Amino acid sequence: EEVLARAMALRQIGEVRFYRGQLEQALEAFSESRAITAALHEEYPAQDRYLFELGQAEFWVGYVGWEQNRLDVAAAGMQTYMAHTRTLLEREPSSADYRLELAYALSNLGAIARQQRDFPRALQYFQDSMEATQVLSDADPDDARLLDMLSEGWSWIGSTLEDLARLAEAEAAFEKAMGYATAAYALSDSPLDREQASDMATFLAETLLAQGEIAPALQRFRESLAIHEELVAHDPSNARWELSLYRTRRKLAEIAIATTAAGPDAAELEAVITGLDALVQRDASAAGPRRQLALALRVRAQAELAAGRPESALAAAQRARDVL
């Protein structure tokens, strides 16, 4: 017990370092924790607790590799994590906790495979993860957390189907993801589930747009916009919600340039750029606001060009490039 306590303390130290961005120091702690739990498992191979903790250590070693963009290391860690979890599930097939861990492992492997651009393998991992999660949700249909996982999983499936250019199937997957997010929100009344529903509406809109379905895409973007306006009003300090709001407004402006003679509302577009500028100033290290600011400036350049003001368009485009 004392040895296991030391391994778990090291893992907690690793987590603190990880969330501080000290990845190398975190890896040292996770690796030492893994070595200790591996020794315990070797000495007591029938003890489920030691195997479970070894799986957790493997997960964290893999996760650090993922953050460092060492995808082979990440995949190896997650594969071992999954293998240990499968062993535990074979020993105790009725364990919901082990089945949940398996769903996590499969989803992580899917995300890594997708990052490696192995889309067929990624899709299989995501589908297997959804199968494991569905078993749990069927047993407890009022668990909002499991509905969240189903929404997230179908979102990954939708994105991977898009990668494979299977757009109609991707659309159906995002519809499912949105349905599960809406169901989770009905149970939890949590703003995070509301945010998930809004994000799924955005993904669905993007897929419709890619198929040339302009009117239904606009409808979904406006649904997403309404939710994010509601969320920002609920908590104006939440930078993530504010960024999502500006992203959706920027997308609507982009569509207006392509589909209307009048183009986007100039005041609305300037409000988006001003808001994104403020987010970049708030945290200069964050890539998301900077990327959205560049894309909004690109929309301004397109609008200026369409209005016959090439010099203003060029200035906006040059600033977009500089921001990137």
Side-chain angles (χ1 to χ4, degrees):
E1 287 301 310
E2 289 179 11
V3 173
L4 181 62
R6 172 173 169 74
M8 294 179 72
L10 281 163
R11 195 175 82 209
Q12 290 172 340
I13 290 169
E15 289 181 38
V16 171
R17 291 172 176 174
F18 179 89
Y19 289 117
R20 286 177 175 170
Q22 300 168 324
L23 297 183
E24 285 299 331
Q25 296 93 321
L27 183 59
E28 289 177 11
F30 290 139
S31 298
E32 190 174 349
S33 176
R34 180 176 62 177
I36 292 171
T37 49
L40 284 169
H41 172 59
E42 186 176 349
E43 186 71 20
Y44 304 100
Q47 172 59 262
D48 289 353
R49 189 179 178 195
Y50 298 156
L51 181 57
F52 177 81
E53 294 301 338
L54 177 57
Q56 298 299 301
E58 292 285 3
F59 162 82
W60 279 106
V61 169
Y63 200 6
V64 172
W66 197 354
E67 286 293 307
Q68 294 175 325
N69 204 35
R70 297 188 296 155
L71 298 183
D72 291 343
V73 172
M78 295 299 174
Q79 283 282 2
T80 309
Y81 165 48
M82 180 181 69
H84 292 336
T85 304
R86 285 193 187 280
T87 299
L88 290 166
L89 195 56
E90 287 166 6
R91 292 179 183 178
E92 196 176 335
S94 63
S95 171
D97 289 339
Y98 293 158
R99 193 170 297 277
L100 190 62
E101 291 289 331
L102 178 62
Y104 288 145
L106 289 164
S107 181
N108 289 337
L109 284 164
I112 292 167
R114 183 168 179 251
Q115 200 169 337
Q116 293 172 320
R117 304 191 66 77
D118 188 344
F119 302 130
R121 186 160 59 98
L123 182 61
Q124 188 62 60
Y125 278 133
F126 290 135
Q127 289 171 334
D128 291 346
S129 177
M130 281 301 88
E131 185 178 327
T133 309
Q134 190 68 60
V135 170
L136 295 169
S137 186
D138 289 345
D140 190 359
D142 291 333
D143 188 326
R145 178 190 57 163
L146 293 172
L147 293 173
D148 276 335
M149 285 185 64
L150 286 170
S151 176
E152 189 72 23
W154 278 106
S155 171
W156 278 113
I157 288 172
S159 295
T160 309
L161 287 167
E162 278 192 319
D163 295 330
L164 293 164
R166 293 159 59 178
L167 297 182
E169 292 172 80
E171 180 185 339
F174 287 131
E175 286 277 13
K176 287 186 178 182
M178 189 172 177
Y180 282 121
T182 303
Y185 177 66
L187 287 169
S188 69
D189 200 32
S190 166
L192 294 176
D193 291 332
R194 192 78 169 129
E195 178 188 19
Q196 175 76 358
S198 178
D199 288 342
M200 294 309 103
T202 298
F203 292 158
L204 186 54
E206 294 278 8
T207 306
L208 289 164
L209 201 61
Q211 296 175 88
E213 300 289 341
I214 306 298
L218 283 170
Q219 180 183 340
R220 293 298 190 180
F221 275 125
R222 287 171 184 142
E223 287 175 23
S224 175
L225 180 64
I227 295 172
H228 275 112
E229 286 175 338
E230 175 188 316
L231 289 171
V232 169
H234 172 75
D235 183 3
S237 68
N238 189 311
R240 187 175 75 246
W241 292 347
E242 192 177 358
L243 178 62
S244 294
L245 175 64
Y246 293 141
R247 181 190 64 203
T248 306
R249 286 178 174 168
R250 186 268 305 167
K251 193 67 187 182
L252 286 168
E254 202 170 74
I255 294 170
I257 288 174
T259 59
T260 67
D265 182 290
E268 175 79 7
L269 180 56
E270 289 310 304
V272 168
I273 292 170
T274 300
L276 288 168
D277 255 327
L279 284 179
V280 170
Q281 294 302 316
R282 192 184 307 175
D283 183 1
S285 70
R290 191 176 295 278
R291 180 173 187 274
Q292 288 301 320
L293 175 59
L295 291 171
L297 289 165
R298 177 177 176 270
V299 175
R300 179 202 273 168
Q302 291 173 314
E304 290 294 298
L305 191 62
R309 295 187 287 269
E311 291 184 3
S312 297
L314 182 59
Q318 286 173 330
R319 190 178 169 219
R321 179 197 61 191
D322 292 342
V323 168
L324 285 173

